[in-house]
Structure formats: C-alpha cells, structure tokens
Amino acid sequence: MTSSTSAHPPPDKQDASTKPPQDRFPATHSSTTAELAGLKIALQQSIRQFPDFPTKGILFEDILPLFADPHLHQSLVRALELHVRSHCPDRQRPDIVVGLEARGFLFGPSLALALGAGFVPVRKKGKLPGPTETAGFEKEYGPDWFEIQKDAITPGQHVVIVDDIIATGGSAAAAGTLVRALGGTLLGYVFVLELDFLKGRKKLDAPVFTLLSRQDGDPSTP
C-alpha cells in the first residue's frame, strides 16, 4: 500500500514543483498585465542616477541595486519572463536567450532558466574559444566587434536577445546580425532600461521591449 503526503504525492499525481517552467505560471492576460505593472513600479524606484559620470554631462543610470536585493532580482527576472511569455505564442517560445557582454550576463542565464531555454553569450572579439562568427558595430570612440561561437545556435531555433540598457542600439544590432548568421530566428530584443532620446531601437529590425524608461533626472519618478 502506498501512502502520500504533501511532500510526497502519489505516483499518479504529478508534483507541481516538477512541472516545466511554462506550466507553473498559468495566467490570464489581465492578471499578467496587472502583475507586470506592479513589478515595474518597484524596479523603477530602485534605479539610481549619477550625474557627470563617467564624464561631465552624462547622467549615469545604475541598475546594480536590482541585483543587490534578492527580492528585486527575482522581480526583475519575473517581469521579463512575463513579457516574453505573453508576447511569444507557444509555437515560438524561445529556445535560446542570447546575453550581451557584460551586463546581459547578469540576468540572461536566470531568464533563460525561467523560460526553459538555453543561454548563449555574445562576447567581445577574442574572448571565445573555437570557431566564431564576428560582427562589427560603431561605438562613441570607434569600431568594435562582437563574436558568438558558431555552434551556439542551431538553424531554426527561436532566439531572444537581452541586455541591460539600449542606448544607440549598435551593439544589439550586431548581436542580431550574429543570430541570423547562424540561422537563428530572432523573436526580438529585451532590455531592462531604454534611453529614449538616443533612439537606438530604430537600428533594430525585430520587436523591441524595454521594461523601464529613464533619463528624467528624478530617481523617484516612475
């Protein structure tokens, strides 16, 4: 005779904790929208701004407090997960989350785990072993290059690109070039923060989602 407890359900009943991530968060569109809005308020209020850093005239957006607090970190990943799940139909759920060096590495792997996807890094030229694909982009001080390992993405896989901030959009566009060069299907770009006045999204040829928007000079304004 087999007994069961809350910790050990009977064999014919699946433990909810063992279900795939996509099955753990059933939600209607309205409940998803409400949850996402609540998460965004707390995250927005936690970003710090430092004027004249790293040079005079620059207002620096500091997202690191989001990672110093485990609750905020969890809220960030949950908010990004909610967006991706609500905007990608089941047949196009991401197979791969591509994170850009370096801050895309802070939350890209966690988001990939939440989505049941793999994580692939895009790094500066010369930092990845083995055969790589390379794409160039312009920065304020001159040209730069991103690389991805050639076997990191299988042709036809669905891919989401993530990074902390979209500014001019050059580095994200280069990452998109790399994904397509390997045969990946680019579902879109996901950013924590957007500096709207730089209009970086105009360089991107796939849907763009930014969780937060700042550069108002007032850290308390959501």
Side-chain angles (χ1 to χ4, degrees), residues 83-84 87-89 92 159-162 166 172 176 180 185-191 194 200-210:
H83 168 76
V84 173
H87 286 77
C88 294
Q92 289 189 337
V159 180
V160 169
I161 294 174
V162 302
I166 175 172
R180 291 193 171 97
T185 299
L186 182 56
L187 299 180
Y189 299 85
V190 176
F191 303 95
E194 180 171 9
R201 64 170 59 216
K202 289 186 175 181
K203 293 183 180 178
L204 307 180
D205 56 358
V208 177
F209 169 74
T210 54

Side-chain angles (χ1 to χ4, degrees), residues 100-118:
L100 307 193
E101 185 174 343
R103 293 189 179 182
F105 300 170
L106 290 175
F107 60 94
S110 299
L111 178 59
L113 281 174
L115 294 170

